[in-house]
Amino acid sequence: MGKGVVSDTSQLCVGAARSKALQEADVILLLGARLNWILHFGLPPRFRSDVKFIQVDLCAEQMGANIRAAVCLLGDIRVVVSQLNMTHRQQDWRFPASAPWWNVLSSRIEQNRQMTEAMTDTSNGPLNYYAVFDELNKHLDENCIIISEGANTMDIGRAMIPNDLPRHRLDAGTFGTMGVGLGYAIAAALLCRDHFPQKRVVCIEGDSAFGFSGMELETVCRYKLPIIFVIINNNGISFGQEEEDWKEAFKTDSTLSMSPTALLPNARYEKVLEAFGGRGYYVKTANELRDSLRLAFEERNESSMLNVRISSTADRKPQVV
């Protein structure tokens, strides 16, 4: 979806107010984006019923898919945007920073920032997604290549981990295909090894997503690729079970009493990487997370894995619209 084309840290980026922006915009310029499930098919209540779409796409068959566009511009995005910019410069017009619409979006961005900041505080409980991503951000350079897949891991990571540069994030994408993460990471690491040796590749996996292609760790170690893996381990798919609940399930028929989304509690995924020669860290506290990340980013010759145990009931923040 073009993450990084406009830096997530830019004052003009309203990703933190995405729902509000989509819900109340009267005109939307689509640059190669598809009105599929990711953008709620362009339909109410996520969009105004009278919203006008200006659609720019290279594929003629995508024009008007799901929603009839007010204007269709068929062509390469770079060329079309250059033409739009040329016309815009001739008119010398700027959207005023004091406009009410911009004030509404700025207020919502600040509201979401405060909610997210509150969720990073885990001083009174186990780690959650927001605390892990907040600490990880402190170690990431702007030119890191981020690989991400999972359920909550990928969705929350998109919002929490900023991209300052285009083409520096790979995830499961439109079809939500789990199992692509390690392959993406290997390809990115080979590219960086040969052409961008200063770039780091960081692969962030949900524990279930990691299971789809986890044995590719052997490939990682065989070629000595210094990938940093972060496994967000909540004992399950979206939600898991704590060890006490797991033990309780075995007092009866566990195939009936156990949640089908639950995985083995406290699984030591980092041991798999260690078996192939990489470095593994089992993380349960904020201090362990900080120290393990420091060690992983200092290592430039071997792969590292942080198996980060978070609350099995950790969830995303409530959506504000």
Side-chain angles (χ1 to χ4, degrees):
M1 297 300 290
K3 286 277 282 182
V5 172
V6 175
S7 170
D8 287 329
T9 58
S10 168
Q11 293 182 341
L12 299 178
C13 180
V14 296
R18 178 180 185 269
S19 295
K20 189 72 171 178
L22 295 182
Q23 193 174 51
E24 297 189 12
D26 54 358
V27 176
I28 294 176
L29 175 63
L30 289 174
L31 297 175
R34 307 291 163 78
L35 290 175
N36 52 30
W37 65 274
I38 295 178
L39 287 176
H40 312 281
F41 301 102
L43 298 172
R46 291 293 187 179
F47 293 83
R48 285 173 43 157
S49 59
D50 61 346
V51 64
K52 295 180 180 179
F53 290 101
I54 302 172
Q55 188 173 5
V56 182
D57 207 297
L58 190 63
C59 300
E61 63 270 21
Q62 290 296 330
M63 295 299 186
N66 296 318
I67 293 293
R68 182 181 295 277
V71 178
C72 294
L73 300 176
L74 180 64
D76 180 84
I77 292 175
R78 182 188 297 271
V79 175
V80 173
V81 170
S82 296
Q83 294 169 342
L84 292 174
N85 285 337
M86 184 182 304
T87 303
H88 178 264
R89 284 192 292 268
Q90 293 172 354
Q91 295 180 352
D92 193 28
W93 178 87
R94 290 179 181 273
F95 190 80
S98 59
W101 173 229
W102 185 247
N103 292 332
V104 167
L105 293 178
S106 298
S107 175
R108 184 53 49 87
I109 289 171
E110 177 59 20
Q111 183 179 354
N112 277 323
R113 187 196 66 79
Q114 292 179 7
M115 290 178 61
T116 299
E117 184 176 342
M119 295 188 72
T120 64
D121 181 8
T122 57
S123 56
N124 296 321
L127 292 170
N128 61 36
Y129 295 99
Y130 295 89
V132 175
F133 290 140
D134 182 61
E135 184 62 36
L136 178 59
N137 280 336
K138 299 173 184 177
H139 298 263
L140 293 173
D141 294 327
E142 69 170 12
N143 67 348
C144 283
I145 296 181
I146 305 297
I147 318 294
S148 181
E149 66 172 336
N152 290 335
T153 297
M154 185 175 71
D155 292 342
I156 298 172
R158 280 175 177 165
M160 282 292 295
I161 300 178
N163 275 92
D164 291 306
L165 300 172
R167 299 179 179 180
H168 279 65
R169 177 185 293 265
L170 294 167
D171 63 26
T174 301
F175 297 107
T177 308
M178 294 297 108
V180 298
L182 269 75
Y184 282 168
I186 291 169
L190 288 169
L191 175 71
C192 290
R193 184 195 66 183
D194 296 341
H195 301 283
F196 308 102
Q198 298 306 313
K199 289 182 184 286
R200 301 305 304 268
V201 177
V202 181
C203 183
I204 307 164
E205 300 270 314
D207 49 347
S208 174
F210 171 69
F212 280 86
S213 55
M215 290 307 291
E216 289 300 331
L217 291 179
E218 186 276 334
T219 307
V220 172
C221 292
R222 189 192 328 150
Y223 291 103
K224 299 186 182 300
L225 302 176
I227 302 169
I228 298 172
F229 295 95
V230 180
I231 308 298
I232 310 296
N233 183 356
N234 69 339
N235 293 346
I237 306 170
S238 294
F239 301 99
Q241 290 182 312
E242 295 297 333
E243 192 165 8
E244 295 75 16
D245 301 323
W246 184 273
K247 292 177 180 178
E248 192 68 24
F250 278 89
K251 293 181 179 180
T252 58
D253 187 342
S254 60
T255 60
L256 299 176
S257 59
M258 190 181 299
S259 169
T261 62
L263 300 175
L264 189 70
N266 306 322
R268 301 297 299 271
Y269 298 110
E270 83 285 0
K271 296 293 185 183
V272 182
L273 183 65
E274 289 180 353
F276 293 121
R279 298 191 177 191
Y281 306 92
Y282 186 55
V283 174
K284 293 189 292 184
T285 68
N287 287 338
E288 291 173 348
L289 177 62
R290 182 185 62 250
D291 294 342
S292 298
L293 282 170
R294 176 180 56 80
L295 293 171
F297 276 89
E298 287 176 353
E299 176 56 56
R300 306 288 302 193
N301 299 311
E302 295 180 349
S303 55
S304 301
M305 177 180 289
L306 282 71
N307 179 12
V308 185
R309 182 69 179 85
I310 69 170
S311 170
S312 60
T313 57
D315 200 1
R316 65 190 70 192
K317 67 177 178 62
Q319 189 174 48
V320 178
V321 295

